[in-house]
Amino acid sequence: MEVSSVLLCSGCSPWQGFLLTASLLTCWLLPTTAQVTLKSSPPQVVEGENVLLSADNLPENIIAFAWYKGETDMNRGIALYSLRYTVSLTGPVHSGRETLYSDGSLWIKNVTQEDTGFYTFRIINNHGKIQSNTTLFLHVKSSLFVCGRPSNIDEPTIESVPVSVSEWGSVLLRVHNLPENLRTLFWYKGVLVLKKLEIARYRTTKNTYELGPVHSGRETVYSNGSLLLQNVTWKDTGFYTLRTLSTDLKVEITHIYLQVNKPVTQPFLRVTVSTVTVQSSVVFTCLSDNTGVSIRWLFKNRNLQVTERMTLSPSNCQLRIHVVRREDAGQYRCEAFNPISSKTSRPVSLAVISE
């Protein structure tokens, strides 16, 4: 059963039909596809503000995607978008403040602290099966407002220095606004506060450090709460959690997502046919060995201006010219890039002839 069929089923709502399809699949929780990444813009949001949860590097062979509130509770759907029918359906927990766009991004307006939690992005492939589940943690901070902006955020915050880090580099997770009456701080790998996920802890009263079960020998915790990671690899990508315990036994928890990038290798550009006639169609495909990269297109060594005759795939790795004209003749390239590097493919020439 495909998603397209359940969207039109009788006797049930479109969302119920979608859930029925999911329940019939043999695999409930699938490993997250490495190519799909989620991010929050802005990275830190205060109640009353708006936030965009965006999905990057969507695969090609998909017909629908959906957002859920929570990690695994698939009955808490927010919205579903069908690429085949270009329609958006709201789910059981849609509050009226969420908008799902065709690129997979979820816009949440006027967030509250109740919006804090996990959000799961699910992809359905063209066989109507679940292809991937990707999860993001959103933390909505509380604050007093002056003229609509926060006047004071006294909770601990974390920033990554540098913002983007490559493999074998070093990164400092710098902590701000530690409690003045701090007793102990803990660092964990992941979003869960579990002893088995503890990297290290620091006790201010004794000025002592204790290493946790997942300490690899590359992490250093400083007395100001910051965590230094050296010689990072792509396996270090993920959430890191800081937990602080004050002398009055107040506990505060803060998360940060760290993305470790590999240097980009040169992509390969493929075209269905190098010589085409006017009014015909042609497809270019940019092939990259890297995950977590973005794609842009160049025509005659300039950024390609996409017209109404052209279509880009959701992840930009495929360019289709539906109605070729003479002015489309020339050299095409694609560029793969991430926050630390970029590489451009060798040129592919397209010749356009009369019928």
Side-chain angles (χ1 to χ4, degrees):
M1 181 184 295
E2 295 186 357
V3 172
S4 58
S5 64
V6 300
L7 288 176
L8 302 175
C9 71
S10 60
C12 62
S13 69
W15 187 267
Q16 288 172 329
F18 176 65
L19 293 178
L20 175 61
T21 300
S23 68
L24 294 176
L25 300 177
T26 56
C27 186
W28 177 246
L29 286 179
L30 303 180
T32 300
T33 303
Q35 292 184 342
V36 180
T37 57
L38 304 178
K39 64 180 179 182
S40 168
S41 300
Q44 297 182 7
V45 62
V46 178
E47 57 183 348
E49 296 183 330
N50 304 326
V51 64
L52 181 70
L53 307 183
S54 58
D56 295 328
N57 306 313
L58 299 184
E60 298 301 307
N61 58 335
I62 63 176
I63 61 172
F65 44 73
W67 280 94
Y68 299 84
K69 182 68 187 300
E71 273 193 288
T72 59
D73 186 356
M74 293 304 136
N75 291 317
R76 301 192 66 196
I78 300 171
L80 163 72
Y81 190 90
S82 169
L83 293 169
R84 180 168 296 177
Y85 295 100
T86 62
V87 295
S88 180
L89 307 172
T90 57
V93 300
H94 190 277
S95 69
R97 297 179 291 111
E98 301 90 356
T99 303
L100 178 57
Y101 296 105
S102 59
D103 64 355
S105 300
L106 182 68
W107 177 252
I108 308 176
K109 297 187 296 183
N110 193 26
V111 295
T112 70
Q113 287 189 285
E114 293 182 356
D115 294 318
T116 293
F118 289 101
Y119 289 78
T120 297
F121 181 69
R122 167 167 285 186
I123 290 176
I124 307 297
N125 64 22
N126 55 8
H127 299 295
K129 295 186 177 181
I130 300 170
Q131 180 161 326
S132 68
N133 292 323
T134 310
T135 300
L136 172 145
F137 186 86
L138 177 66
H139 185 200
V140 179
K141 294 180 177 291
S142 63
S143 175
L144 298 177
F145 281 78
V146 176
C147 297
R149 297 297 302 172
S151 61
N152 181 39
I153 303 177
D154 55 5
E155 297 177 353
T157 60
I158 310 170
E159 66 169 330
S160 173
V161 182
V163 175
S164 299
V165 61
S166 60
E167 275 199 309
W168 314 118
S170 298
V171 62
L172 180 69
L173 303 184
R174 180 180 292 168
V175 178
H176 302 278
N177 301 324
L178 277 180
E180 293 183 0
N181 58 339
L182 179 67
R183 177 179 177 180
T184 309
L185 61 86
F186 310 78
W187 276 100
Y188 301 88
K189 181 69 168 68
V191 296
L192 301 179
V193 177
L194 298 175
K195 175 62 178 178
K196 65 180 181 180
L197 300 178
E198 185 180 333
I199 299 172
R201 68 178 66 182
Y202 171 70
R203 301 181 187 273
T204 58
T205 53
K206 299 181 179 180
N207 193 26
T208 59
Y209 300 86
E210 297 179 23
L211 305 183
V214 300
H215 191 278
S216 69
R218 298 178 292 112
E219 302 89 356
T220 303
V221 177
Y222 295 102
S223 58
N224 65 359
S226 299
L227 177 67
L228 175 67
L229 289 85
Q230 297 176 296
N231 298 322
V232 295
T233 72
W234 65 270
K235 292 183 179 180
D236 294 315
T237 293
F239 282 100
Y240 289 79
T241 298
L242 172 69
R243 174 173 169 252
T244 59
L245 176 63
S246 303
T247 54
D248 58 2
L249 301 183
K250 180 182 179 181
V251 175
E252 292 182 302
I253 296 176
T254 310
H255 308 276
I256 188 172
Y257 186 85
L258 176 66
Q259 176 67 52
V260 179
N261 299 286
K262 292 184 178 181
V264 175
T265 57
Q266 186 178 39
F268 175 75
L269 181 57
R270 185 176 63 191
V271 63
T272 50
V273 58
S274 58
T275 301
V276 296
T277 58
V278 175
Q279 299 297 315
S280 62
S281 64
V282 65
V283 177
F284 296 89
T285 303
C286 188
L287 304 173
S288 175
D289 293 332
N290 305 108
T291 60
V293 297
S294 300
I295 302 293
R296 57 174 157 245
W297 292 87
L298 305 173
F299 177 55
K300 296 180 179 179
N301 293 323
R302 293 186 177 182
N303 286 333
L304 174 70
Q305 299 299 316
V306 179
T307 69
E308 69 279 357
R309 299 179 294 106
M310 303 175 182
T311 302
L312 288 173
S313 62
S315 61
N316 282 2
C317 71
Q318 193 171 82
L319 167 68
R320 178 184 293 271
I321 305 178
H322 297 277
V323 183
V324 175
R325 295 178 181 175
R326 286 189 177 275
E327 59 262 33
D328 296 323
Q331 286 191 340
Y332 290 79
R333 297 172 186 262
C334 67
E335 180 184 9
F337 63 96
N338 64 19
I340 65 164
S341 65
S342 66
K343 288 287 185 180
T344 304
S345 69
R346 293 181 179 274
V348 169
S349 296
L350 180 68
V352 181
I353 60 176
S354 302
E355 295 185 14

